[in-house]
Amino acid sequence: MYEDKTLVCKECGKEFTFTAGEQEFYAERGFVNEPQRCKECRDARKNKLKTQKEMYTTTCAACGCEAKVPFKPREDRPVYCSECFAKMKGEE
């Protein structure tokens, strides 16, 4: 039903293959647009976005340990370290 297509990356200009399997994957998830970037450019873009997140240091409201979080803590809301947060999620 699907056939491999050769597309051109809008980031680097190189040709890449949009395989039949990838097309089927896109269709199953309801994606209507073809990818515009090759795998290397998509990965580079994802990594760039990940490294730009600023981490904030705070104190866990449950155990008192230092915790690093990807958002600016507010004084009126408790913040938990990863372990305490996971424990709380497991109790619900």
Side-chain angles (χ1 to χ4, degrees):
M1 183 163 146
Y2 296 102
E3 292 182 22
D4 290 358
K5 289 183 182 180
T6 301
L7 304 175
V8 177
C9 177
K10 78 174 196 176
E11 198 82 23
C12 67
K14 291 192 306 187
E15 290 186 347
F16 66 97
T17 304
F18 186 33
T19 66
E22 291 169 332
Q23 291 174 51
E24 187 174 352
F25 175 85
Y26 273 52
E28 286 172 359
R29 280 151 185 80
F31 301 145
V32 293
N33 298 321
E34 296 177 339
Q36 297 191 9
R37 292 175 180 84
C38 64
K39 173 103 171 92
E40 293 80 17
C41 289
R42 285 195 313 262
D43 290 345
R45 188 168 183 205
K46 285 179 193 174
N47 289 334
K48 181 180 174 188
L49 293 174
K50 284 181 186 177
T51 59
Q52 289 180 344
K53 285 186 181 176
E54 183 176 352
M55 297 298 280
Y56 297 88
T57 303
T58 189
T59 303
C60 175
C63 70
C65 291
E66 183 179 281
K68 291 193 183 273
V69 293
F71 57 89
K72 188 171 184 174
R74 296 184 353 204
E75 294 295 323
D76 63 331
R77 307 268 327 246
V79 177
Y80 302 99
C81 67
S82 298
E83 291 178 14
C84 291
F85 185 75
K87 287 177 190 173
M88 290 175 56
K89 292 288 280 184
E91 291 176 2
E92 295 179 328

